[in-house]
């Protein structure tokens, strides 16, 4: 598990890799970006965002199918929104671990491409600039400053350091050891690494 500090932090844009929109610089670090497909037990999932949203509803496979079948990551997010009151009961406690797992799966299925973007951030902090979410990202304070918990950015930094150390180059992503970790009613299996999903 990657160590996360949940206290709000201040980031200087000039000292950080800041990503915001998927088509802008380092947009490939976003969960919303296309081009990093995931495959689990024959199920094709277009983005890590769709996978993350589907993990909210292990007990509702039909909702998972709606989310995963959505044509875009934003639509996938919106498909789950009406059902959020029915999220898995431990969602708030498990969402960071689930996000970390989703990022590991994104890397596992797209190792060459995603590693390249992670390593290109070098030693800098990684920050997701958000308009309204200081938990996963950081909010703009002024032209040079952002502030937030930036949990997604911290997870990406942790993953980058593992890539540098070579600890994720060969191996597997284990399913989370939490109750009801299911996709379409079936336990999510251990997933192997590959250079790209096409191989």
């Amino acid at each position: 598990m990657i160590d996360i500090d949940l206290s709000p932090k201040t980031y200087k844009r000039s000292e950080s890799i800041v990503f915001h929109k998927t088509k802008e610089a380092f947009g490939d670090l976003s969960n919303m970006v296309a081009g990093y497909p995931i495959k689990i037990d024959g199920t094709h999932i277009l983005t890590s965002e769709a996978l993350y949203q589907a993990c909210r509803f292990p007990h509702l496979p039909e909702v998972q199918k709606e989310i995963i079948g959505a044509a875009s990551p934003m639509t996938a997010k919106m498909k789950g929104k009406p059902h959020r009151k029915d999220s898995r009961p431990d969602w708030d406690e498990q969402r960071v671990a689930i996000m970390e797992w989703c990022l590991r799966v994104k890397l596992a299925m797209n190792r060459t491409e995603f590693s390249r973007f992670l390593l290109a951030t070098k030693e800098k902090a990684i920050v997701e600039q958000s308009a309204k979410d200081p938990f996963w990202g950081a909010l703009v304070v002024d032209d040079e400053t952002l502030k937030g918990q930036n949990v997604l950015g911290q997870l990406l930094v942790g993953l980058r350091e593992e890539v540098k150390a070579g600890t994720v180059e060969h191996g597997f992503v284990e399913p989370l050891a939490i109750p009801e970790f299911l996709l379409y009613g079936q336990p999510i299996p251990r997933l192997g690494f590959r250079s790209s999903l096409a191989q």
Side-chain angles (χ1 to χ4, degrees):
M1 291 286 291
I2 294 169
D3 191 29
I4 297 298
D5 176 5
L6 291 177
S7 62
K9 285 160 285 297
T10 300
Y11 297 93
K12 295 296 183 186
R13 195 178 291 274
S14 58
E15 299 170 359
S16 308
I17 298 295
V18 179
F19 67 95
H20 181 42
K21 295 181 180 177
T22 58
K23 300 297 185 185
E24 295 176 351
F26 289 97
D28 286 63
L29 298 174
S30 171
N31 279 340
M32 293 288 185
V33 73
Y36 293 88
I38 290 162
K39 186 177 180 182
I40 299 176
D41 267 358
T43 296
H44 290 269
I45 303 169
L46 294 178
T47 60
S48 51
E49 179 66 24
L51 178 59
Y52 173 75
Q53 295 298 335
C55 285
R56 274 181 176 268
F57 308 106
H59 53 302
L60 298 174
E62 292 306 315
V63 175
Q64 288 185 322
K65 286 176 183 175
E66 279 187 51
I67 292 168
I68 288 170
S72 74
M74 185 53 72
T75 305
K77 188 174 183 178
M78 291 302 104
K79 288 285 186 186
K81 206 166 185 178
H83 304 282
R84 284 189 181 172
K85 66 183 186 306
D86 299 315
S87 297
R88 55 178 300 137
D90 58 355
W91 177 249
D92 287 344
E93 292 78 24
Q94 300 294 351
R95 60 181 176 155
V96 173
I98 289 171
M99 179 65 82
E100 179 181 335
W101 179 83
C102 290
L103 293 174
R104 290 185 184 280
V105 173
K106 178 180 177 179
L107 177 62
M109 299 289 172
N110 306 275
R111 188 180 71 198
T112 302
E113 303 88 334
F114 195 35
S115 291
R116 183 163 57 88
F117 276 93
L118 288 170
L119 293 173
T121 64
K122 301 189 184 298
E123 304 298 324
K124 292 188 172 184
I126 300 174
V127 183
E128 181 182 36
Q129 178 181 321
S130 176
K132 56 185 179 181
D133 186 354
F135 179 78
W136 291 115
L139 307 182
V140 173
V141 176
D142 55 41
D143 288 349
E144 171 62 4
T145 311
L146 302 99
K147 187 172 183 179
Q149 291 165 278
N150 188 41
V151 172
L152 179 60
Q154 291 186 67
L155 289 172
L156 290 167
V157 166
L159 207 55
R160 176 189 72 196
E161 296 310 305
E162 290 184 21
V163 171
K164 283 183 185 178
T167 56
V168 296
E169 286 304 300
H170 304 284
F172 297 88
V173 181
E174 299 290 345
L176 289 178
I178 60 176
E180 299 283 301
F181 197 53
L182 309 172
L183 183 65
Y184 300 167
Q186 299 299 315
I188 293 174
R190 182 171 75 159
L191 302 170
F193 272 61
R194 65 194 79 192
S195 294
S196 72
L197 198 55
Q199 295 184 352

